Amino acid sequence: MDIEEFRRRGKEMVDLMCNYYTTVHERPVRSQVEPGYLRPLLPDAAPAEGESFDDILSDVQSHILPGITHWQSPSFFAYFSANSSPPGLLGEMLSSALNTIGFSWITSPASTELETIVLDWLGKLLGLPHAFLAVGPDGKLGRGGGVIQSTASEATLVALLAARSRAMAGRPPEDALRLVAYSSDQAHSCMQKACMISGTRHMRQLRARADRAWALDPEDLQAAVEADVAAGLIPFYLVATFGTTSSCAVDPLRPLGELAARHGMWMHVDAAYAGVAAILPEQRAGLDGLELAHSFDTNCHKWLLVNFDCSCLWVRDAEPLKEALSLTPHFLRAKGNALDYKDWQVPLGRRFRALKLWFVLRTYGRAGLQAYLRHHLALAATVEARVRADARFELAAPPRFALVCFRLKGASCEQNAALIESVNQTGRAFLSHTELGSQYTLRFAISGAQTQACHVDAAWQLVADKASELLGAQHL
Amino acid sequence: MDIEEFRRRGKEMVDLMCNYYTTVHERPVRSQVEPGYLRPLLPDAAPAEGESFDDILSDVQSHILPGITHWQSPSFFAYFSANSSPPGLLGEMLSSALNTIGFSWITSPASTELETIVLDWLGKLLGLPHAFLAVGPDGKLGRGGGVIQSTASEATLVALLAARSRAMAGRPPEDALRLVAYSSDQAHSCMQKACMISGTRHMRQLRARADRAWALDPEDLQAAVEADVAAGLIPFYLVATFGTTSSCAVDPLRPLGELAARHGMWMHVDAAYAGVAAILPEQRAGLDGLELAHSFDTNCHKWLLVNFDCSCLWVRDAEPLKEALSLTPHFLRAKGNALDYKDWQVPLGRRFRALKLWFVLRTYGRAGLQAYLRHHLALAATVEARVRADARFELAAPPRFALVCFRLKGASCEQNAALIESVNQTGRAFLSHTELGSQYTLRFAISGAQTQACHVDAAWQLVADKASELLGAQHL
């Protein structure tokens, strides 16, 4: 395939992409295939000679699309969304074409420098403390700054590694065995995975309680830390969550940060989903105390119209991160803006992901992004109102951001599970579930790029109808 | 920006991409900007209101492209290449549009299943032992299979974690402190980074010697292992390299694998760059003994026309990987094809990267890929011939695959460094350097997707001319 064929095929692909977005609402949201569906449909080896792109596209239509769960459907309300947008797509296209591997500054200066600048832009939009920005209000380079990670999982891991490097400075290697990390049991599973990967032996997942709206209680943390210190352990890392996966609970950053400071712990704020809501000044209350954190991460690929992946991590001081991840001796490390982002992440190679973020921030502007976020918050409020208005249901947690957790009141786990499965089986909406205080809980997460009131209304009506069928059938 | 504007802008972007590829040879290969060039050119905050895409594209042309080091230039001979291709780009476009997050099977069955199938296709093209494939010759699912990682760094890390999980089975936690990992000092730096991240205390980077063409000597390894065992340590992980970064050295897999087996070590084969060469049967000699390895990784984004990132990892037995990375209890893990790739990698979320690999394998077919690889091997042979024909130069290592390492004979480090800098400063070619046995070495790596004989000839002539200038100027 030469460049001229690519020109033709590329434009056909753009049409296919547009066609996909204008018709995705007609497809079953959750794929309806069975495990193993694809292998019998494909040859068991690559072809000996090249095939035509028409044949490939034909297989995409017939074999691949039925196996897609449509994250871009306006009726996708499961997990948290994965936003796609026109400028996000255009940024991906350009980044793929340049296909740079920006592991160090010289391997593509624009890739590194745009990332630093655009993360300062986004940090300002979010109202982050100045210390998290690369360039402070005085125009000078500080010790902090932002970097794009693949996912919040990777951010939680590298923050742990930075915390370990900071905690171990001047200590004998055996002390690594006594390090202990903390979070609530509502923190994302990536916290546990980060401990497994890094070989962190001690991890406390403190139980969050319903009466604190599933947030981590600083008194519980304090008791755990004191017990560990008394037992000879070394507290080093605390993950506080701003918008947990299950219920969007917000851990109280100020008291947690004060406690972390007293015990020399690194506090990482995992705001994977909800962090971008801080573009709205009225959503920032839960970030009070953020200046006490050492790192903060939010995913622009969830709710900010940037195609996956684009997880934005800021650190107040990049030195412990480099200490943990750089193989370059301290005295040889790049100074000033000529930073090498390979020293801020797990992999060596990295794509030019700042382009798509830059395109999105410029295309929508602050006002456009604010309107977008408020649109989803308003839609979530309508779902909350309907749960409250229907006596068969109860809220399972205080609705936060654009997530509403609910369940059939007084019903069993099995009944709630049957309800969600009957909804999802229709293909007309896709919700996911969680567990809160051992209770099966349905999640209605509204942050799809194409989601409008009609989609939310239809999905709620579907839930209500299926509840009627279920409750009727079971003679409750 | 709505869908109809995206249709127009997307087609403009395709034209821009085509224009980039047809003119990239005219641009300076290595960016000529100075650190900090970009910040003064951009506003210090995101715009309050959205901007037009014309303004964004204008800034791309004037501010971004000068800061790009052009990995797609046909005169890029530095590091190892990062191939882009029309079907690779089309796959990226479709994957971005679907924007699925395939962490588990149900979140997009096609994403998981196509990945398993296409890695079987590629594994067969490479002649991998059956045990590495998901489905064996009997049509039954085995214990092994392939997965796409972001980079070879991530593959080396997860293989280490699998090795640790295997080695620690049934041992007390303290034994983790006694684990020891091995490689040659020519192994990629990601090996050291993997040890740092995982908290692996003991790592031996055994010195490779010129008289073994920079390969790891099994006797040296045996001596190191025996000394460590005698000291009470536990050998658990060996990284053998098929095509080292510096000189494309090939470690002897069979004796290393036998040694690994005797000591219960996991052997990972890092074939990041050169592994894809195994599509050519005549390039497989160095893979003799691969059936003794536990994992094998090669990057389709380096030399196989798949846009970054696409690092393909195969394991003979996936269970230790899941043991290391899954949070799901063993008895709940998905069976058979319904695998959840989140349990095979560091992050949770994952893009649908199998699409672009599938598009590339089908568009070129085995014959097309073989012709492509042989084209580069033939070009590299012409460079080798020129080094041999010019008495001022010497080969610094036996040329392997499409890499030629050379230097000015009898010249100092400074002179060789001056030579490469004078070449790179012209912007007409970009070579990188390494160190072999403390000697400064120039690398001429030929695997650019657009690279033809004329580009190689011109770059060599440039090297020769600059050598004349330098040697003349210095009255050698």
Side-chain angles (χ1 to χ4, degrees), chain B residues 401-468:
Chain B
F401 307 111
L403 174 67
V404 180
C405 292
F406 68 102
R407 65 172 75 92
L408 284 170
K409 201 187 301 179
S412 65
C413 272
E414 290 70 23
Q415 287 174 307
N416 276 295
L419 172 60
I420 200 171
E421 183 55 26
S422 69
V423 167
N424 291 343
Q425 266 176 2
T426 66
R428 287 155 47 202
F430 182 25
L431 278 66
S432 58
H433 68 276
T434 188
E435 206 174 80
L436 282 172
S438 317
Q439 287 202 275
Y440 195 97
T441 300
L442 284 69
R443 293 170 74 264
F444 201 129
I446 303 168
S447 35
Q450 293 204 63
T451 301
Q452 300 298 335
C454 60
H455 307 110
V456 173
D457 293 348
W460 179 260
Q461 194 56 52
L462 180 61
V463 169
D465 290 348
K466 290 294 174 187
S468 298

Side-chain angles (χ1 to χ4, degrees), chain B residues 3 12 49 77 95 132 135 182 195 216 253 299 308 334 336 338-339 351 360 394 416 439 452 456 469:
Chain B
I3 294 293
E12 282 176 25
E49 305 289 335
F77 303 109
S95 161
F132 286 109
V135 169
Y182 304 85
C195 289
L216 176 57
L253 300 190
N299 289 346
F308 185 75
L339 53 84
R351 290 176 297 132
V360 164
E394 64 182 0
N416 276 295
Q439 287 202 275
Q452 300 298 335
V456 173
E469 281 176 30

Side-chain angles (χ1 to χ4, degrees), chain A residues 7 15 21 36 44 47-48 51 59 67 69 71 97 106-107 110 113 124 164 193 196 342 345 362 366-367, chain B residues 7 15 21 36 44 47-48 51 59 67 69 71 97 106-107 110 113 124 164 193 196 342 345 362 366-367:
Chain A
R7 193 187 302 276
D15 281 326
Y21 283 107
D44 66 359
E51 297 178 282
D59 286 351
T69 290
W71 288 68
I106 190 56
T107 62
E113 296 201 13
K124 289 176 188 174
R164 180 169 72 184
K193 199 164 176 177
M196 288 161 66
K342 67 181 171 56
Q345 65 174 21
R362 293 186 67 177
R366 188 182 62 228
Chain B
R7 193 187 302 275
D15 282 325
Y21 283 107
D44 67 359
E51 296 178 282
D59 286 351
T69 290
W71 288 67
I106 189 56
T107 63
E113 297 202 13
K124 289 176 189 173
R164 180 169 73 185
K193 198 163 176 177
M196 288 161 65
K342 68 180 170 57
Q345 64 173 24
R362 292 186 65 177
R366 187 182 62 227

Side-chain angles (χ1 to χ4, degrees), chain A residues 1 3 6-7 9-11 13-15 17-18 20-21 31 33-39 42-51 53 56 59 64 67-69 71-72 79 82-83 86 89-90 92-94 96-101 105-110 113-114 116-117 120-121 124 135 151 153 161 164 173 177 188-189 192-193 196-199 201 307-308 324-327 337-338 342 345-352 358-359 362-367, chain B residues 1 3 6-7 9-11 13-15 17-18 20-21 31 33-39 42-51 53 56 59-60 64 67-69 71-72 79 82-83 86 89-90 92-93 96-101 105-110 113-114 116-117 120-121 124 135 151 153 161 164 173 177 188-189 192-193 196-199 201 307-308 324-327 337-338 342 345-352 358-359 362-367:
Chain A
M1 197 186 287
I3 294 293
F6 172 70
R7 193 187 302 276
R9 295 303 192 175
K11 291 176 182 179
M13 183 60 78
V14 169
D15 281 326
M17 291 158 79
C18 292
Y20 178 71
Y21 283 107
S31 173
V33 300
E34 292 295 316
Y37 89 100
L38 188 56
R39 199 172 278 269
L42 297 182
D44 66 359
E49 305 288 334
E51 297 178 282
F53 203 67
I56 298 173
D59 286 351
I64 302 299
I68 296 293
T69 290
W71 288 68
Q72 302 316 310
Y79 316 115
N83 278 190
L89 289 166
L90 292 165
E92 285 283 23
M93 287 168 72
L94 181 55
S96 302
L98 297 173
N99 207 40
T100 56
I101 314 289
W105 181 85
I106 190 56
T107 62
S108 236
E113 296 201 13
L114 186 65
T116 309
I117 293 167
D120 273 5
W121 283 19
K124 289 176 188 174
V135 169
T151 58
S153 299
L161 299 173
R164 180 169 72 184
L177 291 179
H188 192 271
S189 61
Q192 191 180 342
K193 199 164 176 177
M196 288 161 66
I197 291 169
S198 62
R201 199 71 54 81
N307 290 59
F308 184 75
L325 291 165
S326 175
L327 300 171
N337 256 343
K342 67 181 171 56
Q345 65 174 21
V346 172
L348 177 64
R350 57 203 323 274
R351 289 176 298 132
F352 191 174
W358 189 48
F359 283 14
R362 293 186 67 177
T363 300
Y364 294 94
R366 188 182 62 228
Chain B
M1 196 187 288
I3 294 293
F6 172 70
R7 193 187 302 275
R9 296 303 193 175
K11 291 177 183 180
M13 182 61 79
V14 169
D15 282 325
M17 292 158 77
C18 292
Y20 177 71
Y21 283 107
S31 174
V33 299
E34 292 295 317
Y37 89 99
L38 188 57
R39 199 172 277 269
L42 298 182
D44 67 359
E49 305 289 335
E51 296 178 282
F53 202 67
I56 297 174
D59 286 351
V60 166
I64 300 301
I68 297 293
T69 290
W71 288 67
Q72 301 317 308
Y79 316 115
N83 278 189
L89 289 165
L90 292 164
E92 285 283 23
M93 288 168 71
S96 302
L98 298 172
N99 207 39
T100 55
I101 314 287
W105 181 85
I106 189 56
T107 63
S108 236
E113 297 202 13
L114 186 64
T116 310
I117 293 167
D120 272 4
W121 283 19
K124 289 176 189 173
V135 169
T151 58
S153 299
L161 299 173
R164 180 169 73 185
L177 291 179
H188 192 271
S189 60
Q192 191 180 341
K193 198 163 176 177
M196 288 161 65
I197 291 169
S198 62
R201 200 70 54 81
N307 290 60
F308 185 75
L325 290 166
S326 175
L327 300 171
N337 257 342
K342 68 180 170 57
Q345 64 173 24
V346 172
L348 178 63
R350 57 203 323 273
R351 290 176 297 132
F352 190 175
W358 190 47
F359 283 15
R362 292 186 65 177
T363 299
Y364 294 95
R366 187 182 62 227

Side-chain angles (χ1 to χ4, degrees), chain A residues 88-363:
Chain A
L89 289 166
L90 292 165
E92 285 283 23
M93 287 168 72
L94 181 55
S95 161
S96 302
L98 297 173
N99 207 40
T100 56
I101 314 289
F103 50 84
S104 61
W105 181 85
I106 190 56
T107 62
S108 236
S111 170
T112 296
E113 296 201 13
L114 186 65
E115 187 161 327
T116 309
I117 293 167
V118 172
L119 267 79
D120 273 5
W121 283 19
L122 181 59
K124 289 176 188 174
L125 283 178
L126 297 171
L128 296 189
H130 291 307
F132 285 108
L133 306 182
V135 169
D138 57 358
K140 294 205 178 117
L141 276 177
R143 301 175 64 84
V147 59
I148 300 177
Q149 304 280 334
S150 65
T151 58
S153 299
E154 193 178 342
T156 299
L157 172 61
V158 300
L160 180 149
L161 299 173
R164 180 169 72 184
S165 143
R166 175 171 171 266
M168 289 296 293
R171 287 183 182 276
E174 309 79 65
D175 280 6
L177 291 179
R178 298 194 288 125
L179 295 174
V180 51
Y182 303 86
S183 70
S184 89
D185 62 357
Q186 298 296 302
H188 192 271
S189 61
C190 70
M191 168 62 168
Q192 191 180 342
K193 199 164 176 177
C195 289
M196 288 161 66
I197 291 169
S198 62
T200 301
R201 199 71 54 81
H202 307 285
M203 179 186 50
R204 311 280 174 245
Q205 295 183 294
L206 303 169
R207 195 160 159 204
R209 293 186 306 251
D211 63 4
R212 291 195 62 96
W214 309 107
L216 176 56
D217 187 329
E219 292 184 13
D220 291 348
L221 177 62
Q222 180 156 350
V225 168
E226 286 172 1
D228 285 331
V229 170
L233 298 181
I234 306 166
F236 83 112
Y237 187 50
L238 166 65
V239 171
T241 308
F242 179 79
T244 59
T245 304
S246 276
S247 69
C248 273
V250 172
D251 291 335
L253 300 190
R254 184 167 298 284
L256 293 175
E258 287 164 354
L259 209 158
R262 279 200 300 280
H263 290 278
M265 284 191 281
W266 178 293
M267 181 165 82
H268 174 68
V269 177
D270 176 5
Y273 160 71
V276 300
I279 292 179
L280 300 173
E282 69 269 24
Q283 292 290 331
R284 287 182 191 162
L287 291 174
D288 174 59
L290 183 56
E291 70 279 10
L292 300 170
H294 299 79
S295 49
F296 174 86
D297 182 76
T298 189
N299 289 346
C300 294
H301 58 248
K302 279 193 163 74
W303 192 16
L304 204 71
L305 295 160
V306 182
N307 290 59
F308 184 75
D309 49 0
C310 186
S311 185
C312 295
L313 171 70
W314 289 264
V315 288
R316 225 167 56 184
D317 180 357
E319 209 44 52
L321 202 55
K322 295 186 210 169
E323 202 55 45
L325 291 165
S326 175
L327 300 171
T328 313
H330 188 88
F331 60 93
L332 280 182
R333 279 181 214 151
K335 292 290 188 302
N337 256 343
L339 53 83
D340 293 338
Y341 272 131
K342 67 181 171 56
D343 298 338
W344 297 51
Q345 65 174 21
V346 172
L348 177 64
R350 57 203 323 274
R351 289 176 298 132
F352 191 174
R353 291 174 292 206
L355 269 181
K356 59 187 173 185
L357 176 56
W358 189 48
F359 283 14
V360 164
L361 295 183
R362 293 186 67 177
T363 300

